[in-house]
Amino acid sequence: MSINYITKTTVLQRGWTPGSIKKWLGSADKYVKNPHYRSGAPVNLFNVNRVRNAEQRPDFLQWKAQTQLSRAKRSLYMKEVKANERQILFAEISATEIPIVEMSVSSLKYKANWHFEQLKYERNWANDSQTTLEKKCVNFLRHQCSPYEAKLSNLIGKTGRAEAYKLTKTKVLEGISEKYEFLRDECDMQIHSLELAAVKELST
């Protein structure tokens, strides 16, 4: 393709809009067959010098400055909207009770171990030597004995989902820690891991 011509897509990437192209450039200077689809619409080509000359027009420069200002205002507004949505979501999570099923320690250990063995079989885990009984219990309570999974499903598509996930998990772990004293160390370890992950994300 000749360097004297640029596509409509390239013109748009220079800050133009379909409306401004129509106003200041009008029809394309050249049409070529679509290189990707035989049945596709022809590719519109514009003489690059004509585009540059149009970009120096006082009325175009005034329009571009106003457009950039409008885009900046819209971007700031959207950031404020997203920040507000994030705050509302966090407030909802903080105010929501996340109940944890209560059972005897012996029953919990038995059920957690059985659940882990089922997962191990279904997912073909080869080595579980690093998985303590306490971790099995905490994970069992979190996934099977609380509305944790449902809460995470409700976060899909929402602003601040990653932060909300950490907040939700932390809240569940704190609930488990309060109800089962022998699991406090494991809960604290998992909460600490979440905090380390958050710090790492901020530093990257």
Side-chain angles (χ1 to χ4, degrees):
M1 185 180 297
S2 173
I3 60 173
N4 294 322
Y5 293 92
I6 56 178
T7 65
K8 183 177 181 179
T9 299
T10 301
V11 176
L12 292 170
Q13 290 172 347
R14 293 167 70 95
W16 291 68
T17 63
S20 62
I21 290 175
K22 183 178 181 180
K23 180 177 181 178
W24 282 290
L25 295 178
S27 301
D29 299 297
K30 189 176 180 180
Y31 300 91
V32 297
K33 290 183 178 180
N34 193 306
H36 303 292
Y37 305 99
R38 290 184 179 181
S39 59
V43 177
N44 295 359
L45 298 179
F46 293 86
N47 185 291
V48 67
N49 290 324
R50 192 161 74 88
V51 173
R52 288 171 179 166
N53 289 336
E55 290 174 343
Q56 298 307 311
R57 292 173 54 114
D59 53 347
F60 177 87
L61 291 172
Q62 182 180 6
W63 166 83
K64 187 174 183 180
Q66 292 175 341
T67 300
Q68 290 175 336
L69 178 61
S70 177
R71 288 173 177 171
K73 289 181 178 179
R74 186 164 57 249
S75 176
L76 178 60
Y77 171 74
M78 289 308 300
K79 287 180 180 179
E80 291 175 348
V81 169
K82 295 296 184 183
N84 187 52
E85 291 177 351
R86 186 179 287 106
Q87 289 178 354
I88 292 174
L89 177 60
F90 293 169
E92 289 177 350
I93 294 173
S94 298
T96 301
E97 292 294 329
I98 304 181
I100 308 296
V101 173
E102 190 168 3
M103 65 186 79
S104 67
V105 173
S106 59
S107 179
L108 171 57
K109 290 180 178 180
Y110 174 80
K111 291 180 179 181
N113 196 60
W114 182 87
H115 180 256
F116 182 83
E117 291 301 319
Q118 287 293 108
L119 290 178
K120 180 181 175 182
Y121 173 76
E122 293 171 2
R123 301 177 184 181
N124 195 29
W125 290 340
N127 188 354
D128 66 336
S129 60
Q130 300 301 315
T131 306
T132 64
L133 179 58
E134 288 76 16
K135 185 174 183 179
K136 294 176 184 178
C137 289
V138 170
N139 292 345
F140 171 72
L141 288 169
R142 182 157 52 89
H143 291 284
Q144 301 297 316
C145 302
S146 78
Y148 175 74
E149 295 289 351
K151 296 293 183 183
L152 294 187
S153 296
N154 292 334
L155 297 177
I156 296 176
K158 292 189 177 181
T159 300
R161 181 179 182 276
E163 297 95 327
Y165 159 76
K166 294 171 186 174
L167 181 60
T168 301
K169 185 174 181 179
T170 297
K171 190 164 187 177
V172 173
L173 289 170
E174 288 175 344
I176 293 172
S177 178
E178 290 178 5
K179 188 156 290 188
Y180 297 94
E181 185 176 354
F182 81 103
L183 297 177
R184 286 179 181 174
D185 287 344
E186 175 60 30
C187 289
D188 288 344
M189 287 176 58
Q190 293 195 26
I191 291 173
H192 183 60
S193 295
L194 286 173
E195 292 171 346
L196 289 177
V199 172
K200 185 176 181 181
E201 287 179 7
L202 290 174
S203 63
T204 55

